Amino acid sequence: MNRRRRPAADPSAADPSAADPPADDPLAGNGNARPITYDVFLSSPMASLPSDEDYESHRLGILRVLEALERDCRFKVYYAGERRPTKASFERPDVGAHRDSAALRESARFLLVMPKDLVSSSYVEAGYALALGIPSVYYHQSDIRLPFMLRQAAQYSPDFPRCKEYEYQRIDDIVRDIEESGTSLFD
């Protein structure tokens, strides 16, 4: 797995050649350098899914997406549900929100998977990713219309990062996209 970290201190102070980020760096040109721990923040509804069975089934699919990102892109991925097999295993909301927002601030890319038309904190995470300038990819079912600001967000303001929107029918569609596109899915 790719475990890059960007030092919190200004590296150009010690080495002037370190001042410019690599050309493939998603944060290149972003004046607000952030430490990067995760290559991708994987967001999908958890608590808003209507039943324990819906959550557990959806989580298994999202774990397949996570595995594809690790295997085919060699990404280090943050997914809050990775160690939460059931709704009963969720953290307190304040603890989870703190942990998730910290992980999002330390992520280079954002991937949303929206399986149903739900009121979900995943949309808040997507908005936060936009505010942080994180390139984003949104997958959703065909009957879901994303909030206005997320739909092709980059076209609305030069301040927004690259954003892509795709419809999917089955998790297999997302996994296949990752297998075929690799890291270019986020370009």
Side-chain angles (χ1 to χ4, degrees):
M1 285 190 277
N2 185 358
R3 297 189 188 275
R4 334 174 255 163
R5 280 189 178 263
R6 197 168 284 114
D10 181 5
S12 61
D15 179 6
S17 66
D20 295 322
D24 66 343
D25 186 339
L27 299 176
N30 181 345
N32 301 321
R34 300 176 285 112
I36 299 300
T37 302
Y38 302 101
D39 296 297
V40 176
F41 184 100
L42 178 54
S43 177
S44 188
M46 293 171 53
S48 60
L49 288 164
S51 71
D52 290 340
E53 294 78 23
D54 286 334
Y55 168 72
E56 292 167 20
S57 173
H58 180 67
R59 177 183 172 273
L60 291 176
I62 296 301
L63 290 175
R64 291 185 52 229
V65 171
L66 183 149
E67 290 168 3
L69 289 165
E70 290 178 341
R71 178 188 65 239
D72 298 312
C73 301
R74 307 208 37 92
F75 282 163
K76 182 176 180 185
V77 180
Y78 178 87
Y79 168 54
E82 185 174 12
R83 292 182 180 88
R84 308 282 176 225
T86 65
K87 284 187 164 192
S89 65
F90 288 0
E91 299 169 294
R92 288 189 339 255
D94 59 327
V95 172
H98 177 73
R99 185 183 320 272
D100 293 351
S101 64
L104 185 50
R105 284 190 304 274
E106 295 180 3
S107 295
R109 298 164 189 84
F110 178 84
L111 177 62
L112 169 70
V113 179
M114 189 56 66
K116 296 181 180 190
D117 193 10
L118 300 166
V119 175
S120 172
S121 296
S122 291
Y123 290 131
V124 175
E125 293 167 345
Y128 192 29
L130 285 177
L132 291 170
I134 298 173
S136 300
V137 174
Y138 313 126
Y139 279 97
H140 60 86
Q141 292 288 311
S142 60
D143 61 340
I144 295 174
R145 187 171 167 108
L146 292 178
F148 174 77
M149 291 291 285
L150 297 185
R151 286 179 278 151
Q152 301 173 2
Q155 77 179 355
Y156 299 121
S157 171
D159 297 329
F160 285 163
R162 292 181 309 276
C163 297
K164 296 179 181 179
E165 175 187 359
Y166 299 108
E167 292 181 3
Y168 78 100
Q169 292 182 6
R170 298 181 344 253
I171 290 291
D172 290 342
D173 299 333
I174 301 171
V175 170
R176 185 175 36 259
D177 279 357
I178 294 167
E179 290 171 347
E180 292 174 358
S181 300
T183 61
S184 68
L185 178 66
F186 294 91
D187 295 338

